[in-house]
Amino acid sequence: MGSFEIGCRRVPVSLLPALATGLAVTVEEPIGAPGLRPAGKRGPAPKLQQQLERITQLPTAKQKMVSEVLDSLLAQAGR
């Protein structure tokens, strides 16, 4: 693990936008505020977004299984 990941080194605030863009997340997520979304979006996160967040918390093997099921369903839907 790197020093950023274990909290021994701080990320300059000026780098947060680039970090968030590189990780494809909001600026709030790397600082530990995953519930925050860009202005203009009110109410709870869409159900699909909530499900994706839960999937990312699963062990890798279970993530792969979910991915395979989704791939299969999407392939069937595209027929």
Side-chain angles (χ1 to χ4, degrees):
M1 246 187 205
S3 57
F4 288 112
E5 297 159 320
I6 59 173
C8 292
R9 187 165 178 191
R10 297 182 186 269
V11 176
V13 173
S14 61
L15 290 180
L16 284 177
L19 177 64
T21 299
L23 296 172
V25 297
T26 65
V27 173
E28 291 82 6
E29 288 179 85
I31 61 172
L36 301 176
R37 290 189 309 280
K41 302 232 178 190
R42 295 183 182 176
K47 184 175 182 176
L48 182 58
Q49 182 180 351
Q50 293 174 3
Q51 290 170 327
L52 290 172
E53 289 171 4
R54 289 179 58 199
I55 291 167
T56 62
Q57 296 172 359
L58 293 173
T60 304
K62 290 194 182 218
Q63 287 182 22
K64 184 177 179 183
M65 181 183 67
V66 171
S67 179
E68 290 170 356
V69 170
L70 287 173
D71 286 341
S72 175
L73 291 171
L74 291 171
Q76 290 177 5
R79 292 182 189 168

